[in-house]
């Protein structure tokens, strides 16, 4: 779950599902202005997405440090969802130790720290917390999680960054939605729906093209058992994302009046 802004006109809160190294949009909520969307808006979106899921589906929510609140934790616990939530440094925390009053205190001077029985906020929300401050990074990750805290669990929070290519695909590196002159929230909602469907199509077309029509560099890389071989590194550096590859393929075929890739694999037309 993350939020992006379209200038100072709209704030868009979006829940996406991870697919490979990127995310694909599931649902979104639009509000006018550029303020952060609070829990009331988050809850509407979370309930909408939960209603689409089969009973018993395992879900883990990842969200940046602007979103965690006591209300969000209560909702996740009641829904039975797992979570990795990044925390700000100014939240009240209790680990039963003297001198620790905020999450910032917990992380101060620490390269790594793991607390399995912490309590957040003034209402004492139970959670595990992992702190990791890697060299070269200006500040630590402070991650609340519902699993035993350790270094691997904290690093797994990095999966959240898969949503950034999705936002880029909507904006400057893809559909350029920020260039539109849309002023009405309902029209923006409809435009995002169209682009979300197009994004699924592009990602699927790009993935299928990479599998069925590899470039010469990609063929050489696939033949190498050594993942550090120069051909593998070159293929990785030059590779387009599935989205970008699919978008270019669709544009080329449309411009040449050629058949477009299937919208769903397995479809005959």
């Amino acid at each position: 779950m993350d939020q992006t802004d379209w200038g100072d006109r709209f704030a868009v809160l979006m829940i996406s599902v991870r697919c490979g190294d990127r995310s694909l949009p599931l649902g979104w909520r639009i509000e006018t202005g550029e303020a952060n969307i609070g829990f009331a808006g988050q809850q509407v979106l979370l309930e909408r997405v939960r209603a689409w899921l089969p009973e018993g589906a395992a879900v883990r929510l990842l969200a940046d440090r602007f979103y965690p609140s006591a209300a969000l934790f209560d909702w996740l616990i009641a829904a039975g969802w797992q979570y990795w939530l990044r925390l700000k440094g100014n939240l009240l925390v209790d680990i039963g130790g003297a001198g620790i009053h905020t999450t910032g205190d917990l992380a101060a001077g620490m390269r790594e720290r793991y607390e399995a029985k912490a309590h957040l906020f003034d209402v004492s929300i139970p959670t595990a917390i992992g702190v990791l401050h890697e060299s070269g990074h200006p500040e630590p990750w402070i991650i609340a999680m519902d699993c035993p805290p350790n270094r691997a669990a904290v690093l797994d929070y990095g999966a959240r960054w898969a949503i950034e290519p999705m936002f880029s695909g909507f904006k400057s590196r893809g559909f350029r939605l920020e260039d539109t002159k849309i002023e009405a929230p309902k029209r923006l909602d409809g435009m995002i729906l169209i682009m979300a469907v197009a994004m699924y199509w592009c990602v699927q077309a790009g993935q299928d093209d990479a599998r069925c029509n590899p470039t010469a560099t990609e063929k050489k890389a696939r033949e190498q058992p050594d993942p550090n071989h120069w051909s593998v590194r070159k293929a990785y550096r030059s590779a387009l994302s599935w989205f970008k590859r699919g978008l270019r393929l669709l544009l080329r075929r449309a411009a040449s009046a050629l058949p477009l890739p299937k919208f769903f694999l397995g479809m005959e037309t």
Side-chain angles (χ1 to χ4, degrees), residues 95 103 105-115 129-135 139-143 145 149-155:
I95 62 168
T103 45
D105 296 334
L106 192 69
M110 293 289 178
R111 286 297 178 183
E112 295 187 41
R113 183 171 192 163
Y114 307 105
E115 299 290 344
I129 296 178
V131 174
L132 180 62
H133 194 169
E134 293 189 301
S135 298
E139 55 187 352
W141 276 358
I142 309 173
I143 310 297
M145 59 191 72
N150 52 51
R151 182 183 179 88
V154 173
L155 288 173

Side-chain angles (χ1 to χ4, degrees), residues 18 21 23 62 64 86 141 157-165:
R18 184 176 171 88
D21 291 333
S23 292
L62 286 76
D64 204 2
R86 190 176 178 188
W141 276 358
Y157 171 78
R160 190 199 73 81
W161 299 112
I163 201 170
E164 299 301 336

Side-chain angles (χ1 to χ4, degrees), residues 1 7 33 36-37 62 103 113-114 147 173 206 235 244:
M1 181 171 66
N36 287 325
I37 297 176
L62 286 76
T103 45
R113 183 171 192 163
Y114 307 105
C147 61
R173 297 185 179 180
K244 200 72 172 182

Side-chain angles (χ1 to χ4, degrees), residues 28 33 75 87 126 128 146 163 170 189 195 201 203 239 246:
W28 51 89
W75 190 95
L87 305 176
D146 66 322
I163 201 170
F170 276 118
D189 185 75
M195 291 183 174
W201 193 6
V203 170

